[in-house]
Amino acid sequence: MCTGAALVSLLPTPAHAAPPKPDLTALRGVLRTAVSQGAPGAMARLDDRGTVHQVAVGVADRRTRRALSNADRFRIGSVTKTFSAVVLLQLLDEGRLVLDAPVNRYLPGLLPDDRITVRHVLSHRSGLYDYSDDLFARSVSGFEAVRTKVFTYRQLVDRSLRHPRTTAPGGAYSYSNTNFVVAGLLIEKLTGRPVATAYRKRIIEPLELDDTFYVHPDTAVPGRHTHGYLTPDTAGGALVDATRQTVSWAQSAGALISSTKDLDTFLSALLRGRLMSAGALKEMRRWVPAGRTQSYGLGLRRRDLSCGVSVYGHTGAVQGYYTYAFTSGDGRRSLAALANASNSAKVHTTMLRTLESAFCGKHATTRGSVAPQDEAEDTAGH
Ligand code: HEL
């Protein structure tokens, strides 16, 4: 049984017919706006019932001026959380995990409260403080301090436990990377292998995601890729090339590398039921409120767009890269978009509009597409 039932909507999301036709001109306009706001480049790929649309503007590399392309790989940040949740839900299907069991059943003594369950962790209702709030209070110096650092999962959990819990176990949604570090520990404990093996064997190889890699603690993005640029906190400061980094501060919460093509393939497969049983997918899609226009399942976001269509996926913000990966309820229309900049509320708010162009088309209205409180979370507190 699910605890915290008051918070959890068991109602299915309204069934919608195919979403309105995408507006590709508007999509290009959104990407151009992101570039005019300081992102060196922005791109999107839409996979719509077998038809592929790709748009890219600006550059992948500010030094060489090479044009950005949807063939470029990039760091996907917290879209990694959806991959981690998929692995754990597959373990649920295999009878190796119980969602309402305490985390401490599998990792004795890890957490200071036996009431924190696997479900709480995957839905950000554990109350575990987000250690990255401390790490990145100052964006550039915080990043440079960890750029090449290698953390163990336990060191990251310890950093969180120095702070009081933000809610009681099973309380309100409160986003925290710590939850998906715990998810990584669970994956490694239950499979007896590194998370990289679980991602590869269970998702990357079956779906032939040729651009998707977990290389931690290597600092390079393999193969053709776009550079990523961190915007400094001081207005007018020079962008910082953040491409090379361990992402060790995130690991199973945010260290995967992928491409727009692979993200579309992954999310379509997920929503079309190809990665887990119908029962497990239903668990993944039990929503808790996470702002006026979004809800959170298990490692999965639902965004409710201005035209009444809901889309499913995740966003990612890792230094240098803003990622948006969402699909329709039937998994038949998927959008993956990237701006190769981060730490810019303006660019982020603009990039969220790619979803409106892709899934609402000409029915998009500005009303309701991004609520202010959602933006605050989305931009990690700027
Ligand atoms: S934050 C989010 C996004 N998630 C969370 C996770 C991810 N990323 C982080 O926790 C990184 C935070 C620092 C990013 C950095 C920047 O923008 O480059 N910002 C600062 O340093 C600010 N001082 C909720 C946005 C998600 O969408 O799930 O990815």
Side-chain angles (χ1 to χ4, degrees), residues 76-79 81 130 132-133 136-140 143 173 175 177 230-231 233 249 253-254 296 301 314-323 341-344 348 377-382:
I76 64 171
S78 289
V79 185
K81 290 182 170 73
D130 190 345
S132 62
D133 288 352
F136 304 126
R138 280 186 292 184
S139 308
V140 175
F143 168 62
Y173 166 89
Y175 191 96
N177 285 309
L230 167 63
T231 315
D233 295 331
W249 61 269
Y296 207 86
R301 287 188 189 281
H314 219 287
T315 37
V318 66
Q319 289 85 1
Y321 303 92
Y322 275 143
T323 303
S342 69
N343 201 32
S344 164
H348 171 65
E377 179 199 90
D378 282 346
T379 49
H382 335 290

mmCIF file of all heavy atoms in Angstrom, residues 76-79 81 130 132-133 136-140 143 173 175 177 230-231 233 249 253-254 296 301 314-323 341-344 348 377-382, ligand 1:
data_model
loop_
_atom_site.group_PDB
_atom_site.id
_atom_site.type_symbol
_atom_site.label_atom_id
_atom_site.label_comp_id
_atom_site.label_asym_id
_atom_site.label_seq_id
_atom_site.Cartn_x
_atom_site.Cartn_y
_atom_site.Cartn_z
ATOM 1 N N ILE A 76 22.868 14.952 -19.578
ATOM 2 C CA ILE A 76 21.406 15.074 -19.444
ATOM 3 C C ILE A 76 20.957 15.372 -18.010
ATOM 4 O O ILE A 76 19.765 15.457 -17.739
ATOM 5 C CB ILE A 76 20.673 13.814 -19.954
ATOM 6 C CG1 ILE A 76 21.008 12.574 -19.110
ATOM 7 C CG2 ILE A 76 20.978 13.611 -21.433
ATOM 8 C CD1 ILE A 76 20.137 11.359 -19.455
ATOM 9 N N GLY A 77 21.901 15.533 -17.072
ATOM 10 C CA GLY A 77 21.523 15.894 -15.699
ATOM 11 C C GLY A 77 20.460 14.953 -15.158
ATOM 12 O O GLY A 77 20.532 13.726 -15.332
ATOM 13 N N SER A 78 19.439 15.536 -14.568
ATOM 14 C CA SER A 78 18.465 14.729 -13.823
ATOM 15 C C SER A 78 17.547 13.867 -14.670
ATOM 16 O O SER A 78 16.753 13.108 -14.106
ATOM 17 C CB SER A 78 17.626 15.631 -12.927
ATOM 18 O OG SER A 78 18.416 16.090 -11.876
ATOM 19 N N VAL A 79 17.645 13.933 -15.991
ATOM 20 C CA VAL A 79 16.892 12.937 -16.775
ATOM 21 C C VAL A 79 17.434 11.549 -16.403
ATOM 22 O O VAL A 79 16.731 10.537 -16.514
ATOM 23 C CB VAL A 79 16.981 13.211 -18.293
ATOM 24 C CG1 VAL A 79 16.093 12.242 -19.061
ATOM 25 C CG2 VAL A 79 16.590 14.650 -18.613
ATOM 26 N N LYS A 81 17.580 10.496 -13.554
ATOM 27 C CA LYS A 81 16.715 9.956 -12.483
ATOM 28 C C LYS A 81 15.676 8.997 -13.061
ATOM 29 O O LYS A 81 15.302 8.010 -12.428
ATOM 30 C CB LYS A 81 16.034 11.101 -11.716
ATOM 31 C CG LYS A 81 17.020 11.918 -10.859
ATOM 32 C CD LYS A 81 16.341 13.020 -10.077
ATOM 33 C CE LYS A 81 17.249 13.680 -9.042
ATOM 34 N NZ LYS A 81 18.284 14.559 -9.587
ATOM 35 N N ASP A 130 18.730 18.199 0.269
ATOM 36 C CA ASP A 130 19.486 18.156 -0.992
ATOM 37 C C ASP A 130 20.876 18.778 -0.773
ATOM 38 O O ASP A 130 21.015 19.999 -0.714
ATOM 39 C CB ASP A 130 18.720 18.918 -2.084
ATOM 40 C CG ASP A 130 19.332 18.710 -3.463
ATOM 41 O OD1 ASP A 130 20.487 18.224 -3.552
ATOM 42 O OD2 ASP A 130 18.654 19.037 -4.462
ATOM 43 N N SER A 132 23.170 19.259 -2.712
ATOM 44 C CA SER A 132 23.679 20.129 -3.789
ATOM 45 C C SER A 132 23.302 21.597 -3.555
ATOM 46 O O SER A 132 23.924 22.486 -4.125
ATOM 47 C CB SER A 132 23.226 19.642 -5.167
ATOM 48 O OG SER A 132 21.839 19.677 -5.260
ATOM 49 N N ASP A 133 22.314 21.853 -2.702
ATOM 50 C CA ASP A 133 21.981 23.249 -2.361
ATOM 51 C C ASP A 133 23.196 23.927 -1.728
ATOM 52 O O ASP A 133 23.490 25.094 -1.984
ATOM 53 C CB ASP A 133 20.804 23.319 -1.378
ATOM 54 C CG ASP A 133 19.491 22.965 -2.044
ATOM 55 O OD1 ASP A 133 19.464 22.807 -3.278
ATOM 56 O OD2 ASP A 133 18.491 22.830 -1.313
ATOM 57 N N PHE A 136 26.344 24.239 -4.434
ATOM 58 C CA PHE A 136 26.270 25.195 -5.535
ATOM 59 C C PHE A 136 25.625 26.515 -5.141
ATOM 60 O O PHE A 136 25.048 27.204 -5.979
ATOM 61 C CB PHE A 136 25.574 24.547 -6.743
ATOM 62 C CG PHE A 136 26.248 23.277 -7.170
ATOM 63 C CD1 PHE A 136 25.538 22.091 -7.293
ATOM 64 C CD2 PHE A 136 27.616 23.256 -7.422
ATOM 65 C CE1 PHE A 136 26.173 20.909 -7.668
ATOM 66 C CE2 PHE A 136 28.270 22.079 -7.795
ATOM 67 C CZ PHE A 136 27.544 20.908 -7.912
ATOM 68 N N ALA A 137 25.752 26.871 -3.849
ATOM 69 C CA ALA A 137 25.234 28.175 -3.409
ATOM 70 C C ALA A 137 25.906 29.269 -4.232
ATOM 71 O O ALA A 137 25.287 30.253 -4.612
ATOM 72 C CB ALA A 137 25.493 28.372 -1.927
ATOM 73 N N ARG A 138 27.223 29.070 -4.522
ATOM 74 C CA ARG A 138 27.897 29.970 -5.473
ATOM 75 C C ARG A 138 28.210 29.140 -6.706
ATOM 76 O O ARG A 138 28.925 28.117 -6.616
ATOM 77 C CB ARG A 138 29.142 30.572 -4.850
ATOM 78 C CG ARG A 138 28.728 31.758 -3.942
ATOM 79 C CD ARG A 138 29.887 32.501 -3.407
ATOM 80 N NE ARG A 138 30.596 31.642 -2.467
ATOM 81 C CZ ARG A 138 31.638 32.030 -1.747
ATOM 82 N NH1 ARG A 138 32.117 33.246 -1.875
ATOM 83 N NH2 ARG A 138 32.222 31.202 -0.913
ATOM 84 N N SER A 139 27.684 29.552 -7.841
ATOM 85 C CA SER A 139 27.620 28.634 -8.977
ATOM 86 C C SER A 139 28.986 28.283 -9.550
ATOM 87 O O SER A 139 29.282 27.106 -9.757
ATOM 88 C CB SER A 139 26.728 29.231 -10.066
ATOM 89 O OG SER A 139 25.493 29.590 -9.499
ATOM 90 N N VAL A 140 29.842 29.278 -9.818
ATOM 91 C CA VAL A 140 31.102 28.964 -10.498
ATOM 92 C C VAL A 140 32.114 28.380 -9.511
ATOM 93 O O VAL A 140 32.686 27.301 -9.755
ATOM 94 C CB VAL A 140 31.673 30.194 -11.242
ATOM 95 C CG1 VAL A 140 33.042 29.872 -11.827
ATOM 96 C CG2 VAL A 140 30.712 30.632 -12.340
ATOM 97 N N PHE A 143 31.050 24.958 -8.493
ATOM 98 C CA PHE A 143 31.288 23.978 -9.552
ATOM 99 C C PHE A 143 32.769 23.632 -9.659
ATOM 100 O O PHE A 143 33.143 22.456 -9.707
ATOM 101 C CB PHE A 143 30.764 24.514 -10.892
ATOM 102 C CG PHE A 143 31.211 23.699 -12.063
ATOM 103 C CD1 PHE A 143 30.854 22.363 -12.190
ATOM 104 C CD2 PHE A 143 32.013 24.254 -13.056
ATOM 105 C CE1 PHE A 143 31.284 21.594 -13.266
ATOM 106 C CE2 PHE A 143 32.444 23.499 -14.135
ATOM 107 C CZ PHE A 143 32.080 22.165 -14.238
ATOM 108 N N TYR A 173 6.147 16.606 -1.327
ATOM 109 C CA TYR A 173 7.238 16.553 -2.311
ATOM 110 C C TYR A 173 8.260 17.646 -2.012
ATOM 111 O O TYR A 173 7.910 18.812 -1.822
ATOM 112 C CB TYR A 173 6.601 16.772 -3.679
ATOM 113 C CG TYR A 173 7.539 17.082 -4.817
ATOM 114 C CD1 TYR A 173 8.090 16.062 -5.576
ATOM 115 C CD2 TYR A 173 7.836 18.407 -5.158
ATOM 116 C CE1 TYR A 173 8.931 16.350 -6.646
ATOM 117 C CE2 TYR A 173 8.674 18.696 -6.225
ATOM 118 C CZ TYR A 173 9.211 17.657 -6.961
ATOM 119 O OH TYR A 173 10.034 17.943 -8.013
ATOM 120 N N TYR A 175 12.068 18.227 -3.696
ATOM 121 C CA TYR A 175 13.064 17.676 -4.626
ATOM 122 C C TYR A 175 14.445 17.610 -3.974
ATOM 123 O O TYR A 175 14.910 18.591 -3.392
ATOM 124 C CB TYR A 175 13.137 18.566 -5.855
ATOM 125 C CG TYR A 175 13.923 18.001 -7.013
ATOM 126 C CD1 TYR A 175 13.284 17.323 -8.046
ATOM 127 C CD2 TYR A 175 15.302 18.144 -7.085
ATOM 128 C CE1 TYR A 175 13.990 16.815 -9.123
ATOM 129 C CE2 TYR A 175 16.023 17.637 -8.148
ATOM 130 C CZ TYR A 175 15.352 16.973 -9.171
ATOM 131 O OH TYR A 175 16.064 16.469 -10.232
ATOM 132 N N ASN A 177 18.457 15.722 -4.704
ATOM 133 C CA ASN A 177 19.358 14.768 -5.370
ATOM 134 C C ASN A 177 19.700 13.591 -4.466
ATOM 135 O O ASN A 177 19.976 12.488 -4.955
ATOM 136 C CB ASN A 177 20.642 15.486 -5.795
ATOM 137 C CG ASN A 177 20.411 16.364 -7.001
ATOM 138 O OD1 ASN A 177 19.874 15.919 -8.009
ATOM 139 N ND2 ASN A 177 20.805 17.630 -6.913
ATOM 140 N N LEU A 230 28.442 27.182 -18.468
ATOM 141 C CA LEU A 230 27.813 27.626 -17.223
ATOM 142 C C LEU A 230 27.799 29.158 -17.181
ATOM 143 O O LEU A 230 28.839 29.798 -17.380
ATOM 144 C CB LEU A 230 28.625 27.061 -16.045
ATOM 145 C CG LEU A 230 28.364 27.603 -14.642
ATOM 146 C CD1 LEU A 230 26.939 27.311 -14.186
ATOM 147 C CD2 LEU A 230 29.361 26.973 -13.652
ATOM 148 N N THR A 231 26.628 29.729 -16.937
ATOM 149 C CA THR A 231 26.497 31.187 -16.830
ATOM 150 C C THR A 231 26.884 31.614 -15.414
ATOM 151 O O THR A 231 26.347 31.069 -14.444
ATOM 152 C CB THR A 231 25.021 31.601 -17.071
ATOM 153 O OG1 THR A 231 24.527 30.895 -18.207
ATOM 154 C CG2 THR A 231 24.876 33.095 -17.277
ATOM 155 N N ASP A 233 27.129 33.803 -11.889
ATOM 156 C CA ASP A 233 26.068 34.512 -11.151
ATOM 157 C C ASP A 233 26.112 36.020 -11.386
ATOM 158 O O ASP A 233 25.086 36.691 -11.316
ATOM 159 C CB ASP A 233 26.203 34.229 -9.644
ATOM 160 C CG ASP A 233 25.969 32.753 -9.318
ATOM 161 O OD1 ASP A 233 25.206 32.102 -10.057
ATOM 162 O OD2 ASP A 233 26.551 32.255 -8.341
ATOM 163 N N TRP A 249 29.259 14.542 -8.159
ATOM 164 C CA TRP A 249 28.326 15.059 -7.160
ATOM 165 C C TRP A 249 26.907 14.556 -7.437
ATOM 166 O O TRP A 249 26.041 14.629 -6.575
ATOM 167 C CB TRP A 249 28.353 16.594 -7.124
ATOM 168 C CG TRP A 249 27.948 17.228 -8.426
ATOM 169 C CD1 TRP A 249 28.765 17.589 -9.455
ATOM 170 C CD2 TRP A 249 26.617 17.534 -8.851
ATOM 171 N NE1 TRP A 249 28.029 18.102 -10.492
ATOM 172 C CE2 TRP A 249 26.710 18.087 -10.143
ATOM 173 C CE3 TRP A 249 25.359 17.408 -8.254
ATOM 174 C CZ2 TRP A 249 25.591 18.491 -10.869
ATOM 175 C CZ3 TRP A 249 24.242 17.813 -8.985
ATOM 176 C CH2 TRP A 249 24.371 18.349 -10.268
ATOM 177 N N ALA A 253 21.973 10.303 -9.777
ATOM 178 C CA ALA A 253 20.974 11.381 -9.781
ATOM 179 C C ALA A 253 21.135 12.280 -10.989
ATOM 180 O O ALA A 253 20.288 13.143 -11.236
ATOM 181 C CB ALA A 253 21.102 12.213 -8.505
ATOM 182 N N GLY A 254 22.260 12.114 -11.774
ATOM 183 C CA GLY A 254 22.399 13.084 -12.863
ATOM 184 C C GLY A 254 23.611 12.988 -13.765
ATOM 185 O O GLY A 254 23.934 13.967 -14.429
ATOM 186 N N TYR A 296 4.871 14.805 -9.735
ATOM 187 C CA TYR A 296 6.014 13.885 -9.786
ATOM 188 C C TYR A 296 5.525 12.479 -9.484
ATOM 189 O O TYR A 296 4.701 12.267 -8.588
ATOM 190 C CB TYR A 296 7.072 14.309 -8.756
ATOM 191 C CG TYR A 296 8.472 13.874 -9.153
ATOM 192 C CD1 TYR A 296 9.260 14.658 -9.989
ATOM 193 C CD2 TYR A 296 8.997 12.660 -8.718
ATOM 194 C CE1 TYR A 296 10.538 14.261 -10.375
ATOM 195 C CE2 TYR A 296 10.275 12.250 -9.087
ATOM 196 C CZ TYR A 296 11.038 13.064 -9.921
ATOM 197 O OH TYR A 296 12.305 12.662 -10.298
ATOM 198 N N ARG A 301 8.480 13.112 -14.218
ATOM 199 C CA ARG A 301 7.672 14.318 -14.066
ATOM 200 C C ARG A 301 6.476 14.264 -15.011
ATOM 201 O O ARG A 301 6.585 13.724 -16.122
ATOM 202 C CB ARG A 301 8.470 15.565 -14.478
ATOM 203 C CG ARG A 301 9.544 15.994 -13.503
ATOM 204 C CD ARG A 301 10.105 17.353 -13.955
ATOM 205 N NE ARG A 301 11.280 17.752 -13.212
ATOM 206 C CZ ARG A 301 11.254 18.286 -11.985
ATOM 207 N NH1 ARG A 301 10.093 18.464 -11.370
ATOM 208 N NH2 ARG A 301 12.370 18.645 -11.388
ATOM 209 N N HIS A 314 11.346 14.138 -17.947
ATOM 210 C CA HIS A 314 12.138 14.801 -16.899
ATOM 211 C C HIS A 314 12.877 15.974 -17.524
ATOM 212 O O HIS A 314 13.054 16.036 -18.748
ATOM 213 C CB HIS A 314 13.135 13.827 -16.259
ATOM 214 C CG HIS A 314 13.279 14.023 -14.779
ATOM 215 N ND1 HIS A 314 13.936 15.093 -14.214
ATOM 216 C CD2 HIS A 314 12.811 13.276 -13.734
ATOM 217 C CE1 HIS A 314 13.871 14.992 -12.886
ATOM 218 N NE2 HIS A 314 13.189 13.902 -12.560
ATOM 219 N N THR A 315 13.293 16.880 -16.652
ATOM 220 C CA THR A 315 14.183 17.968 -17.048
ATOM 221 C C THR A 315 15.542 17.696 -16.416
ATOM 222 O O THR A 315 15.646 16.900 -15.474
ATOM 223 C CB THR A 315 13.634 19.304 -16.523
ATOM 224 O OG1 THR A 315 13.057 19.073 -15.220
ATOM 225 C CG2 THR A 315 12.572 19.866 -17.423
ATOM 226 N N GLY A 316 16.561 18.366 -16.915
ATOM 227 C CA GLY A 316 17.889 18.193 -16.336
ATOM 228 C C GLY A 316 18.637 19.517 -16.347
ATOM 229 O O GLY A 316 18.521 20.293 -17.300
ATOM 230 N N ALA A 317 19.364 19.776 -15.269
ATOM 231 C CA ALA A 317 20.195 20.990 -15.203
ATOM 232 C C ALA A 317 21.519 20.587 -14.577
ATOM 233 O O ALA A 317 21.610 20.401 -13.368
ATOM 234 C CB ALA A 317 19.526 22.053 -14.350
ATOM 235 N N VAL A 318 22.511 20.375 -15.429
ATOM 236 C CA VAL A 318 23.848 20.109 -14.933
ATOM 237 C C VAL A 318 24.694 21.217 -15.547
ATOM 238 O O VAL A 318 24.342 21.745 -16.604
ATOM 239 C CB VAL A 318 24.279 18.677 -15.321
ATOM 240 C CG1 VAL A 318 24.440 18.493 -16.796
ATOM 241 C CG2 VAL A 318 25.503 18.215 -14.581
ATOM 242 N N GLN A 319 25.783 21.596 -14.881
ATOM 243 C CA GLN A 319 26.525 22.771 -15.329
ATOM 244 C C GLN A 319 26.826 22.703 -16.828
ATOM 245 O O GLN A 319 27.465 21.772 -17.302
ATOM 246 C CB GLN A 319 27.823 22.898 -14.535
ATOM 247 C CG GLN A 319 27.609 23.309 -13.088
ATOM 248 C CD GLN A 319 27.309 22.149 -12.161
ATOM 249 O OE1 GLN A 319 27.269 21.001 -12.595
ATOM 250 N NE2 GLN A 319 27.106 22.427 -10.886
ATOM 251 N N GLY A 320 26.327 23.701 -17.544
ATOM 252 C CA GLY A 320 26.558 23.781 -18.985
ATOM 253 C C GLY A 320 25.418 23.273 -19.846
ATOM 254 O O GLY A 320 25.394 23.546 -21.049
ATOM 255 N N TYR A 321 24.459 22.567 -19.253
ATOM 256 C CA TYR A 321 23.446 21.897 -20.077
ATOM 257 C C TYR A 321 22.056 21.950 -19.429
ATOM 258 O O TYR A 321 21.891 21.514 -18.285
ATOM 259 C CB TYR A 321 23.818 20.418 -20.264
ATOM 260 C CG TYR A 321 25.174 20.172 -20.878
ATOM 261 C CD1 TYR A 321 26.312 20.002 -20.078
ATOM 262 C CD2 TYR A 321 25.330 20.091 -22.268
ATOM 263 C CE1 TYR A 321 27.557 19.765 -20.635
ATOM 264 C CE2 TYR A 321 26.582 19.852 -22.829
ATOM 265 C CZ TYR A 321 27.690 19.695 -22.015
ATOM 266 O OH TYR A 321 28.926 19.455 -22.554
ATOM 267 N N TYR A 322 21.085 22.416 -20.180
ATOM 268 C CA TYR A 322 19.671 22.315 -19.789
ATOM 269 C C TYR A 322 18.997 21.327 -20.738
ATOM 270 O O TYR A 322 18.990 21.538 -21.954
ATOM 271 C CB TYR A 322 18.961 23.658 -19.958
ATOM 272 C CG TYR A 322 19.072 24.632 -18.805
ATOM 273 C CD1 TYR A 322 19.184 25.995 -19.058
ATOM 274 C CD2 TYR A 322 19.008 24.219 -17.468
ATOM 275 C CE1 TYR A 322 19.251 26.924 -18.018
ATOM 276 C CE2 TYR A 322 19.078 25.144 -16.424
ATOM 277 C CZ TYR A 322 19.196 26.485 -16.698
ATOM 278 O OH TYR A 322 19.250 27.398 -15.671
ATOM 279 N N THR A 323 18.418 20.274 -20.182
ATOM 280 C CA THR A 323 17.791 19.224 -20.999
ATOM 281 C C THR A 323 16.295 19.122 -20.698
ATOM 282 O O THR A 323 15.888 19.253 -19.539
ATOM 283 C CB THR A 323 18.452 17.856 -20.685
ATOM 284 O OG1 THR A 323 19.841 17.948 -20.927
ATOM 285 C CG2 THR A 323 17.868 16.741 -21.547
ATOM 286 N N ALA A 341 23.652 25.742 -22.229
ATOM 287 C CA ALA A 341 23.921 26.744 -21.193
ATOM 288 C C ALA A 341 23.148 26.322 -19.955
ATOM 289 O O ALA A 341 22.181 25.563 -20.054
ATOM 290 C CB ALA A 341 23.437 28.111 -21.646
ATOM 291 N N SER A 342 23.574 26.818 -18.801
ATOM 292 C CA SER A 342 22.807 26.576 -17.569
ATOM 293 C C SER A 342 22.938 27.797 -16.675
ATOM 294 O O SER A 342 23.638 28.754 -17.024
ATOM 295 C CB SER A 342 23.328 25.335 -16.845
ATOM 296 O OG SER A 342 24.617 25.592 -16.329
ATOM 297 N N ASN A 343 22.249 27.746 -15.549
ATOM 298 C CA ASN A 343 22.267 28.833 -14.560
ATOM 299 C C ASN A 343 21.718 30.130 -15.149
ATOM 300 O O ASN A 343 22.195 31.208 -14.823
ATOM 301 C CB ASN A 343 23.687 29.040 -14.011
ATOM 302 C CG ASN A 343 23.676 29.756 -12.670
ATOM 303 O OD1 ASN A 343 22.748 29.603 -11.891
ATOM 304 N ND2 ASN A 343 24.688 30.570 -12.421
ATOM 305 N N SER A 344 20.708 29.992 -15.982
ATOM 306 C CA SER A 344 20.047 31.162 -16.550
ATOM 307 C C SER A 344 18.542 30.920 -16.524
ATOM 308 O O SER A 344 18.022 30.126 -17.324
ATOM 309 C CB SER A 344 20.515 31.391 -17.992
ATOM 310 O OG SER A 344 19.616 32.274 -18.629
ATOM 311 N N HIS A 348 16.119 28.985 -19.330
ATOM 312 C CA HIS A 348 15.320 27.826 -18.910
ATOM 313 C C HIS A 348 13.826 28.050 -19.169
ATOM 314 O O HIS A 348 13.138 27.177 -19.717
ATOM 315 C CB HIS A 348 15.572 27.536 -17.431
ATOM 316 C CG HIS A 348 14.635 26.521 -16.880
ATOM 317 N ND1 HIS A 348 14.641 25.206 -17.312
ATOM 318 C CD2 HIS A 348 13.624 26.618 -15.994
ATOM 319 C CE1 HIS A 348 13.678 24.542 -16.686
ATOM 320 N NE2 HIS A 348 13.052 25.386 -15.892
ATOM 321 N N GLU A 377 11.699 26.050 -8.696
ATOM 322 C CA GLU A 377 12.345 24.759 -8.487
ATOM 323 C C GLU A 377 13.187 24.406 -9.697
ATOM 324 O O GLU A 377 14.322 23.984 -9.580
ATOM 325 C CB GLU A 377 11.323 23.651 -8.291
ATOM 326 C CG GLU A 377 12.062 22.332 -8.116
ATOM 327 C CD GLU A 377 11.220 21.109 -8.356
ATOM 328 O OE1 GLU A 377 11.169 20.655 -9.517
ATOM 329 O OE2 GLU A 377 10.648 20.612 -7.396
ATOM 330 N N ASP A 378 12.620 24.621 -10.868
ATOM 331 C CA ASP A 378 13.274 24.196 -12.094
ATOM 332 C C ASP A 378 14.647 24.797 -12.280
ATOM 333 O O ASP A 378 15.502 24.220 -12.915
ATOM 334 C CB ASP A 378 12.435 24.595 -13.304
ATOM 335 C CG ASP A 378 11.276 23.650 -13.496
ATOM 336 O OD1 ASP A 378 11.280 22.593 -12.879
ATOM 337 O OD2 ASP A 378 10.383 24.004 -14.271
ATOM 338 N N THR A 379 14.842 26.002 -11.783
ATOM 339 C CA THR A 379 16.126 26.640 -12.024
ATOM 340 C C THR A 379 17.043 26.472 -10.816
ATOM 341 O O THR A 379 18.001 27.200 -10.650
ATOM 342 C CB THR A 379 15.947 28.122 -12.373
ATOM 343 O OG1 THR A 379 15.088 28.698 -11.410
ATOM 344 C CG2 THR A 379 15.370 28.305 -13.737
ATOM 345 N N ALA A 380 16.732 25.493 -9.988
ATOM 346 C CA ALA A 380 17.565 25.143 -8.840
ATOM 347 C C ALA A 380 17.858 26.357 -7.969
ATOM 348 O O ALA A 380 18.958 26.572 -7.512
ATOM 349 C CB ALA A 380 18.858 24.476 -9.301
ATOM 350 N N GLY A 381 16.824 27.160 -7.798
ATOM 351 C CA GLY A 381 16.895 28.199 -6.784
ATOM 352 C C GLY A 381 17.439 29.557 -7.209
ATOM 353 O O GLY A 381 17.707 30.383 -6.359
ATOM 354 N N HIS A 382 17.601 29.816 -8.511
ATOM 355 C CA HIS A 382 17.970 31.210 -8.811
ATOM 356 C C HIS A 382 16.709 32.013 -9.002
ATOM 357 O O HIS A 382 15.821 31.613 -9.675
ATOM 358 C CB HIS A 382 18.750 31.381 -10.117
ATOM 359 C CG HIS A 382 19.477 30.179 -10.520
ATOM 360 N ND1 HIS A 382 20.556 29.740 -9.838
ATOM 361 C CD2 HIS A 382 19.275 29.308 -11.521
ATOM 362 C CE1 HIS A 382 21.001 28.648 -10.428
ATOM 363 N NE2 HIS A 382 20.239 28.363 -11.429
HETATM 364 S S1 HEL B 1 17.976 20.853 -10.178
HETATM 365 C C1 HEL B 1 16.518 20.814 -11.227
HETATM 366 C C2 HEL B 1 16.795 19.690 -12.224
HETATM 367 N N1 HEL B 1 17.694 18.786 -11.598
HETATM 368 C C3 HEL B 1 18.252 19.135 -10.302
HETATM 369 C C4 HEL B 1 19.567 18.609 -10.776
HETATM 370 C C5 HEL B 1 18.896 18.356 -12.070
HETATM 371 N N2 HEL B 1 20.644 19.488 -10.889
HETATM 372 C C6 HEL B 1 21.265 20.040 -9.857
HETATM 373 O O1 HEL B 1 20.945 19.775 -8.707
HETATM 374 C C7 HEL B 1 22.371 20.990 -10.221
HETATM 375 C C8 HEL B 1 22.184 22.248 -9.543
HETATM 376 C C9 HEL B 1 23.248 23.223 -9.952
HETATM 377 C C10 HEL B 1 23.128 23.672 -11.367
HETATM 378 C C11 HEL B 1 23.771 25.021 -11.600
HETATM 379 C C12 HEL B 1 23.599 25.363 -13.065
HETATM 380 O O2 HEL B 1 22.515 25.855 -13.431
HETATM 381 O O3 HEL B 1 24.514 25.072 -13.831
HETATM 382 N N3 HEL B 1 23.124 26.000 -10.764
HETATM 383 C C13 HEL B 1 23.741 26.627 -9.754
HETATM 384 O O4 HEL B 1 24.916 26.444 -9.466
HETATM 385 C C14 HEL B 1 22.892 27.606 -8.984
HETATM 386 N N4 HEL B 1 23.595 28.264 -7.949
HETATM 387 C C15 HEL B 1 15.309 20.588 -10.337
HETATM 388 C C16 HEL B 1 16.431 22.102 -11.977
HETATM 389 C C17 HEL B 1 15.537 18.982 -12.712
HETATM 390 O O5 HEL B 1 14.923 19.562 -13.593
HETATM 391 O O6 HEL B 1 15.171 17.927 -12.195
HETATM 392 O O7 HEL B 1 19.293 18.132 -13.139
#
